[in-house]
């Protein structure tokens, strides 16, 4: 049984085929024809619909593809109290607070320093900040820049944020991180603005200049990002800036401001989408800009690849989520690597970017309102359109539900 019907006929010779790329780089399915162009063509409608559904005051959106900005547009207003005049409209140079979208920018600053051998991802924090300590003396000696930038130090979620809320400065909060009990080192993930800031502070001390100046020198100036800064005073002085609006009783009002200087490396950047396209294009181009290597590709790679499991799967068929150094890294349902990060200030900022390296495309969305899921929805819909030619989920339903929970008051009286 199983013998060939005609044994005299020789089997056809096997022709070896050579894949253009190794299997790990092959996505599950090809992109639809003109995928990016068709997705970009739908962005106006997506943005306008999200603005209408959510009621947020303003948003700016930009897309980078094959090294060029192929879409950039503003929607809505910078300040609801200033009316709908032309001078109050959001445009592509309007400066928004980025909140935690600052983290991947910070990681590229660190990657620059790693690339010029000024520091390493594995440099111990205490070698640069000898006064620093965590509650376990063994972890204190071992914890590195990379541990802090990937949220795997063992510090509990958002450790130190409340100390900032009641008015303490950066050095005080970093000094008090020693009071927090630790989860297991390097196998626990918990998102901490001040852990992240500790890593950046060590890099700045090593460079011999303040963090905000280091970022200007090695990233923002070389990329030509004049509207981007880690200093709240710079944001406050911009004539074309979007005010933060808080969601109260179903409406958005510019009642408060958020000065994030104490945790600037983790949440203090302000920028425009025109500036952000230059950074996105540089990340997509493995650290190059205008033919010049701004950040060494080998130094950048660890930042944009998994370093810790951040969202463990809850069932066998589920894709896990990971965190690199300052970047969320994961795999889409189209088997494509995706880099992303959100930013959220309850006092009036919601931001998000998504990069699909295999499609050579990136999108960023900045808003000036209490986080609502709008930027995440817009970038998710765009990523669906690029990969599949259609939006496959109710992204707004999913994201707005999550953010509605976050908006509830903290604690009780």
């Amino acid at each position: 049984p199983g013998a060939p019907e005609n044994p005299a006929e020789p089997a056809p010779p096997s022709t070896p085929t050579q894949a253009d790329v190794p299997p790990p780089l092959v996505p599950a399915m090809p992109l639809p024809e003109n995928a990016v162009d068709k997705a970009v063509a739908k962005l106006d409608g997506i943005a306008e619909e999200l603005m209408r559904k959510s009621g947020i005051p303003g948003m700016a959106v930009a897309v980078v593809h094959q090294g060029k900005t192929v879409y950039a547009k503003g929607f809505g207003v910078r300040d609801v109290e200033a009316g709908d005049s032309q001078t109050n409209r959001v445009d592509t140079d309007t400066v928004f607070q980025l909140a935690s979208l600052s983290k991947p920018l910070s990681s590229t600053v660190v990657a620059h320093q790693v690339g010029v051998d000024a520091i390493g991802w594995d440099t111990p924090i205490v070698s640069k900040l000898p006064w620093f300590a965590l509650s376990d003396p063994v972890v204190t000696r071992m914890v590195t820049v990379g541990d802090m930038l990937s949220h795997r130090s063992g510090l509990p979620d958002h450790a130190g944020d409340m100390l900032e809320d009641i008015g303490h400065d950066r050095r005080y909060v970093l000094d008090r991180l020693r009071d927090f009990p630790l989860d297991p080192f390097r196998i626990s993930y918990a998102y901490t603005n001040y852990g992240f800031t500790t890593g950046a502070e060590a890099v700045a001390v090593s460079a011999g200049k303040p963090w905000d100046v280091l970022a200007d020198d090695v990233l923002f100036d070389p990329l030509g990002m004049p509207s981007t800064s880690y200093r709240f005073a710079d944001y406050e002085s911009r004539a074309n800036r979007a005010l933060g609006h808080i969601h109260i009783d179903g409406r958005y009002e510019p009642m408060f401001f958020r000065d994030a200087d104490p945790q600037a490396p983790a949440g203090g950047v302000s920028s425009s989408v025109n500036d952000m396209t230059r950074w996105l294009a540089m990340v997509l181009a493995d650290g190059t800009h205008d033919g010049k290597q701004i950040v060494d590709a080998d130094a950048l790679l660890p930042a944009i690849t998994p370093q810790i499991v951040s969202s463990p799967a809850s069932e066998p068929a589920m894709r896990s989520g990971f965190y690199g150094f300052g970047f969320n890294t994961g795999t889409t349902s189209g088997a494509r690597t995706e880099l992303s990060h959100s930013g959220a200030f309850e006092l009036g900022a919601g931001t998000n970017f998504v990069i699909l390296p295999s499609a050579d495309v990136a999108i960023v969305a900045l808003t000036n309102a209490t986080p609502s899921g709008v930027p995440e929805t817009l970038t998710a819909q765009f990523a669906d359109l690029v990969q599949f030619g259609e939006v496959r989920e109710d992204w707004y339903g999913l994201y707005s539900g999550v953010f509605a929970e976050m908006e509830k008051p903290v604690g009780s009286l």
Side-chain angles (χ1 to χ4, degrees):
E5 289 179 9
N6 183 356
E9 190 176 308
S14 62
T15 332
T17 55
Q18 176 112 22
D20 292 333
V21 291
L25 284 171
V26 180
M29 60 186 81
L31 295 175
E33 193 176 351
N34 298 326
V36 173
D37 291 345
K38 287 179 179 174
V40 165
K42 294 188 176 177
L43 276 175
D44 280 7
I46 291 171
E48 286 158 6
E49 173 68 4
L50 285 171
M51 295 282 292
R52 185 191 64 75
K53 276 202 287 200
S54 66
I56 65 168
M59 175 164 66
V61 182
V63 176
V64 172
H65 180 48
Q66 295 178 339
K68 295 185 178 131
T69 301
V70 295
Y71 181 92
K73 195 162 184 180
F75 301 86
V77 296
R78 301 177 312 188
D79 174 5
V80 295
E81 293 182 346
D84 195 22
S85 67
Q86 196 58 40
T87 54
N88 189 37
R89 303 289 296 175
V90 171
D91 61 33
T92 56
D93 286 316
T94 299
V95 173
F96 290 77
Q97 290 183 287
L98 300 191
S100 285
L101 207 156
S102 306
K103 291 181 176 73
L105 288 162
S106 296
S107 293
T108 50
V109 172
V110 177
H112 174 277
Q113 294 301 94
V114 172
V116 298
D117 295 326
I119 198 132
W121 293 114
D122 57 356
T123 297
I125 296 291
V126 290
S127 70
K128 304 299 178 183
L129 306 178
W131 49 266
F132 180 76
L134 293 171
S135 59
D136 182 334
V138 175
V139 175
T140 296
R141 288 196 300 274
M142 292 195 297
V143 69
T144 66
V145 170
D147 294 326
M148 289 302 193
L149 267 62
S150 56
H151 308 294
R152 64 185 187 203
S153 66
L155 282 167
D157 185 72
H158 286 83
D161 281 10
M162 287 188 178
L163 292 172
E164 180 197 344
D165 289 347
I166 59 174
H168 290 297
D169 63 14
R170 183 184 304 177
R171 174 60 189 266
Y172 180 89
V173 179
L174 298 188
D175 212 32
R176 302 279 27 110
L177 293 180
R178 69 189 66 207
D179 296 335
F180 290 91
L182 299 177
D183 287 327
F185 182 47
R186 285 190 186 148
I187 58 168
S188 305
Y189 171 89
Y191 189 86
T192 56
N193 291 308
Y194 277 96
F196 192 98
T197 299
T198 301
E201 192 72 2
V203 174
V205 166
S206 178
K209 54 181 80 173
W211 174 261
D212 56 298
V213 176
L214 175 64
D216 288 345
D217 290 351
V218 304
L219 191 66
F220 301 153
D221 291 348
L223 283 179
M225 299 171 68
S227 299
T228 308
S229 171
Y230 278 92
R231 295 173 287 273
F232 178 74
D234 288 346
Y235 161 75
E236 210 172 20
S237 69
R238 310 281 189 209
N240 184 3
R241 77 180 185 279
L243 299 188
H245 292 70
I246 193 162
H247 194 210
I248 297 179
D249 298 330
R251 64 188 187 279
Y252 288 93
E253 296 186 14
M255 295 179 63
F256 305 100
F257 66 88
R258 174 77 162 87
D259 177 351
D261 276 357
Q263 54 160 279
V269 176
S270 56
S271 186
S272 66
V273 291
N274 276 348
D275 274 17
M276 288 297 290
T277 58
R278 303 174 85 81
W279 174 76
L280 289 167
M282 185 270 292
V283 175
L284 276 168
D286 293 331
T288 62
H289 170 73
D290 282 350
K292 184 179 176 189
Q293 197 75 37
I294 304 294
V295 179
D296 180 75
D298 290 340
L300 181 61
L301 185 63
I304 58 177
T305 49
Q307 300 297 333
I308 184 79
V309 178
S310 55
S311 306
S314 55
E315 55 181 280
M318 185 177 172
R319 292 179 300 279
S320 296
F322 303 91
Y323 203 86
F325 297 137
F327 287 80
N328 290 308
T329 74
T331 308
T332 73
S333 55
R336 292 178 184 274
T337 294
E338 179 180 272
L339 312 175
S340 68
H341 214 289
S342 281
F345 284 163
E346 199 59 35
L347 298 185
T351 61
N352 181 262
F353 79 89
V354 166
I355 297 175
L356 292 169
S358 62
D360 199 5
V361 71
I363 183 168
V364 61
L366 311 178
T367 73
N368 60 341
T370 295
S372 59
V374 167
E376 290 83 3
T377 298
L378 184 140
T379 60
Q381 289 187 357
F382 179 80
D384 265 7
L385 289 168
V386 168
Q387 294 172 94
F388 314 115
E390 62 179 350
V391 176
R392 307 212 304 185
E393 299 282 351
D394 173 17
W395 292 111
Y396 187 65
L398 290 166
Y399 278 118
S400 61
V402 170
F403 282 100
E405 283 297 310
M406 289 170 57
E407 205 180 316
K408 290 180 179 174
V410 175
S412 60
L413 294 176

